Amino acid sequence: MCGIFGCVLHDGSQAALLIHSALKRLEYRGYDSVGQVTVDGERLTVKKDAGRLEEVDAKYHLDDMPGPVGVGHTRWATHGRPAHENSHPHVDCKNRIAVVHNGIIENYLDLKRELEAKGHDFLSRTDTEVVPHLVEEYVSQGMGLEEAFRKTVNRLEGAYSIVLTSVERPKMILCARQESPLVLGLGDGEYYCASDFSAFLPLTKKALILDEGEMAVLDPNGVRILKLKNAAPVKRDPITIAWDPESAKKQGFRHFMLKEIHEQAQSTRDALRSQEIYYDLVASKILSAGNVFIVACGTSYHSGLVGSLALAKLAGINARVVIASEFSDEALDLTTPKTVILAISQSGETMDTLNAVRDAKSKGASILSIVNVLGSTLMRLSDVYIGQNAGPEIGVASTKAFTSQVAILLRLAANIARKKGEVSTKEIGELEDALHKTPIIIQNIINTKLGEIKRIAEDCSNASSICFLGRGVNVPTALEGRLKLLELSYIPAIAYPAGESKHGFIALIEEGFPVIFVAPKDDNHRRLIGNIMEMKARGARIISVIEEGDEEIRSLSDQTIEIPESLPALVTPLVYVVPLQLLAYYLSIIKGHDPDYPRNLAKSVTVE
Ligand code: F6R
């Protein structure tokens, strides 16, 4: 998730000033690198570097760039660590075409090889750099810039919003989108494109939405929208944006947390886009390890629990999950140069996780990681890492980071299982297919279940405690539901393996005590029904997250949330956690708290 802003201004105006202030408004979308390009007739000026906007500005004076046309970019790294050469804009060989991009181009390696064979020189490790070179290639074949851009974009696979400027057509900006957002602003004879409305709201409230598979041409005559497929013109009426700049950042959602819950269909899709080569590297380290520890804190620890179970069940790998702050007591004595540590962290800066990693490293262990913030300390300490591609997570309570970690861990377990050949390829294939279906299911839950979840939140709002129970791979889902609920609503919450609940917790049950069961129709279904009956017999109010059409559990429950698809058991946490995140969010609102900033918590815990 990066931030993009482009503008075509009146002759004599300076685009750089507007770009700089728009990037300030977009910094929340990414902040590891910044860059701007302006076009002034035959002159293309690029300034860019790794660092936050004010650091890059102090070094390069971003306002000091000539020309009325230009584009800016604030980056959240996916391909290539934050560095000068990986910052956007990227240019072609002759420095005549500049491109910024938000998203992931899945087939960039193939395109890069093709272009290198034709003599194009690449300077970065990004996926984006193929775009200016491919446009350059088509222009050199005699194509006009607009057609070369359209042809290039039609060859890209993955998710993108792309904006191009060039001295070939100095008064023009070309842009296109697929999955990643891009909106257009209509000023008074001046035109803008941006990742979201917040970038241009102080300049205009009149906007056009660019749909999937469309491109737009911005020049002093106005904005034209075309179909990418066949260049057919699209007629679209402008809309007026009523949001204030702050809600525009949240895309109209009341809180970042709610926005991030809604983003999970896309962030899961993006998490699954990483190249197979990273998985192969991680897999080969795990396969040759003497012992494996998964190390993490909080929500990332819960995704580690899902990963450990998936590695055991699918690939026969024993990867013990250790809470990072306990690592030196529990696992350091067992750490040798043959140990592999798989550290999981959204921020990559959690002190407990870093301490465990450093301790293990000092004993010669190999460090693998799953990390969302590229360029973070954890990424730099790692021998191999897989980027989560979830984009910045601003809400303190982690949501989309969890689902993207689980998606990656399941894909990793499937990769290792395939290499080991212990599970049938049919079973692995089914799991991978289900994994790729999860974004649609998550979207469906968000589209259809909010009313029910809000009602359950209201009914639970006076509870003095709430319990979450699950079995197998959904013990971590229950733990994560509990963590979200207690940190946001401040209601003391409990989570247990459902089978363990009768060994103590059941003493708490009295009339109306809410017990939330994570209850997909998997091999544990029958035993879970037994646990539901035990709770029900003692007066508990049963709330169950079930597979649609599960009449048995529905008839035992006071309230249900139904997941509209049958999934392999291992994939269920990725989907069943979403209603639990929403429940915690709504309870926080009902209780009058701010879900984005729960008391006493910090987004990144950099103390021991
Ligand atoms: C809970 C939450 C925390 C983090 C934990 C680890 O909602 O956000 O429990 O999961 O502090 O953070 P990372 O993943 O950044 O290491």
Side-chain angles (χ1 to χ4, degrees), residues 180-390:
S180 303
L182 200 68
V183 287
L184 309 170
L186 308 176
D188 190 8
E190 302 192 326
Y191 305 98
Y192 320 106
C193 58
S195 301
D196 65 43
F197 301 123
S198 69
F200 57 66
L201 264 188
L203 306 166
T204 183
K205 292 197 178 311
K206 229 164 115 186
L208 282 170
I209 313 265
L210 199 61
D211 273 340
E212 302 280 302
E214 291 179 346
M215 63 176 271
V217 184
L218 282 62
D219 66 21
N221 301 319
V223 172
R224 277 185 293 127
I225 300 180
L226 314 171
K227 287 268 177 227
L228 273 167
K229 202 168 52 195
N230 54 9
V234 175
K235 207 175 140 15
R236 176 141 320 129
D237 292 329
I239 54 168
T240 303
I241 308 301
W243 295 342
D244 59 61
E246 202 44 40
S247 47
K249 274 190 192 171
K250 296 176 192 152
Q251 281 157 33
F253 291 106
R254 198 166 150 200
H255 294 98
F256 280 111
M257 182 187 174
L258 191 58
K259 171 173 168 281
E260 285 157 9
I261 291 175
H262 278 70
E263 275 168 6
Q264 288 179 111
Q266 189 61 35
S267 56
T268 306
R269 219 173 262 130
D270 287 343
L272 293 169
R273 279 188 219 278
S274 298
Q275 307 283 317
E276 193 68 13
I277 181 163
Y278 295 108
Y279 287 85
D280 289 341
L281 288 169
V282 171
S284 74
K285 290 262 183 201
I286 290 179
L287 281 167
S288 58
N291 56 350
V292 181
F293 293 115
I294 299 179
V295 175
C297 304
T299 290
S300 299
Y301 169 74
H302 297 153
S303 68
L305 292 172
V306 177
S308 164
L309 223 127
L311 284 167
K313 276 196 185 296
L314 279 182
I317 300 278
N318 177 16
R320 185 166 139 208
V321 199
V322 182
I323 289 185
S325 55
E326 293 295 314
F327 182 81
S328 59
D329 286 308
E330 276 187 34
L332 196 55
D333 292 338
L334 305 172
T335 302
T336 71
K338 287 191 160 253
T339 300
V340 161
I341 304 291
L342 176 58
I344 306 172
S345 174
Q346 186 285 128
S347 62
E349 300 294 348
T350 301
M351 182 63 85
D352 289 332
T353 307
L354 296 179
N355 283 346
V357 163
R358 287 190 177 112
D359 284 350
K361 219 175 158 73
S362 72
K363 296 193 95 183
S366 301
I367 310 298
L368 313 176
S369 63
I370 295 173
V371 61
N372 193 30
V373 181
L374 297 200
S376 60
T377 310
L378 178 59
M379 186 204 104
R380 285 181 273 119
L381 286 170
S382 304
D383 300 304
V384 188
Y385 66 89
I386 299 177
Q388 290 181 221
N389 298 338

Side-chain angles (χ1 to χ4, degrees), residues 296-301 344-350 353 393 395-399 401 405 480 483-484 487 601-605:
C297 304
T299 290
S300 299
Y301 169 74
I344 306 172
S345 174
Q346 186 285 128
S347 62
E349 300 294 348
T350 301
T353 307
E393 192 177 61
V396 165
S398 191
T399 51
Q405 288 164 352
E480 178 59 8
L483 177 61
K484 288 293 90 93
E487 69 182 333
L601 291 175
K603 183 68 191 156
S604 180
V605 184

